Amino acid sequence: MSDPDTETSVAGAPAPRGALDISIEFSLNGEKQNCRIDSNAVLLDVLRENLGCRGVRGSCERGVCGACTVLVDDVPVASCSTFAFAVDGASVETVEGLAAADGTLSPQQRAFAECGGYQCGFCTSGMLMLTTGLLRREPRPDRGTIRDWISSNTCRCTGYEMIMESVERAAELTAAQDGDRV
């Protein structure tokens, strides 16, 4: 018997009275997804709880820290403050989609490993998605541009220098991979 004051959401948390059960369809890391969600579900919860994307991390849950950053149609967004219905028909990319099917790391992942940009690792998935979005828009960013992009992700470790170096190295590896020798 259900509680008349709440409804059970697809994402597992009680939905406030009045939330609607809706269907959305989107591409997740290149694969088509169909989900039934509560109308008030946020993308972070749908990705983690419904679709098993554990690399998307919740921290501040206010769209400030960047740990939950994913790409929606190539634009970095805070998945904790994006309603899931907003991605209906969109392409969503998470850190789980960066490596090749055979496990080969992406240039961004290799660069962060080479340069120690992962530090404690908590913010790394968000940093990797920011780097991916940046390099698609600006293949050879200068330090100021890199600083502007990663400023939306809070790293609570010792600093950003290794992250800056990682983004620069990712640009080099991406260019080399694309045949543009640096």
Side-chain angles (χ1 to χ4, degrees):
M1 184 167 185
S2 65
D3 181 346
D5 293 329
T6 61
E7 300 172 25
T8 302
S9 77
V10 174
R17 191 172 178 87
L20 302 175
D21 182 32
I22 61 173
S23 293
I24 61 171
E25 182 178 303
F26 62 100
S27 168
L28 176 61
N29 299 323
E31 293 186 20
K32 192 175 190 176
Q33 301 291 328
N34 293 297
C35 297
R36 292 199 61 81
I37 61 168
D38 291 329
S39 59
N40 61 356
V42 294
L43 183 58
L44 170 68
D45 293 336
V46 171
L47 291 172
R48 283 185 61 86
E49 304 305 323
N50 294 57
L51 301 170
C53 295
R54 298 298 199 182
V56 183
R57 297 206 170 102
S59 184
C60 72
E61 299 190 16
R62 293 187 175 101
V64 175
C65 76
C68 66
T69 301
V70 300
L71 298 180
V72 176
D73 292 334
D74 286 333
V75 176
V77 301
S79 63
C80 71
S81 59
T82 301
F83 282 115
F85 66 75
V87 302
D88 188 35
S91 172
V92 177
E93 296 174 76
T94 68
V95 71
E96 286 85 357
L98 289 182
D102 67 358
T104 302
L105 298 179
S106 71
Q108 300 88 328
Q109 292 169 310
R110 290 194 331 255
F112 272 71
E114 284 179 21
C115 300
Y118 50 83
Q119 301 183 90
C120 84
F122 192 80
C123 70
T124 304
S125 56
M127 289 288 187
L128 288 168
M129 298 317 294
L130 283 172
T131 301
T132 301
L134 169 60
L135 297 181
R136 286 180 183 163
R137 189 173 292 188
E138 181 67 44
R140 294 180 186 263
D142 59 29
R143 280 217 155 202
T145 303
I146 294 170
R147 189 172 294 110
D148 286 345
W149 271 74
I150 66 171
S151 67
S152 65
N153 191 327
T154 304
C155 173
R156 293 182 174 90
C157 292
T158 58
Y160 290 85
E161 185 57 30
M162 292 184 291
I163 294 170
M164 298 283 290
E165 292 169 3
S166 298
V167 177
E168 291 172 328
R169 179 68 178 140
E172 293 171 359
L173 292 172
T174 300
Q177 179 178 291
D178 293 344
D180 180 22
R181 297 285 171 209
V182 291

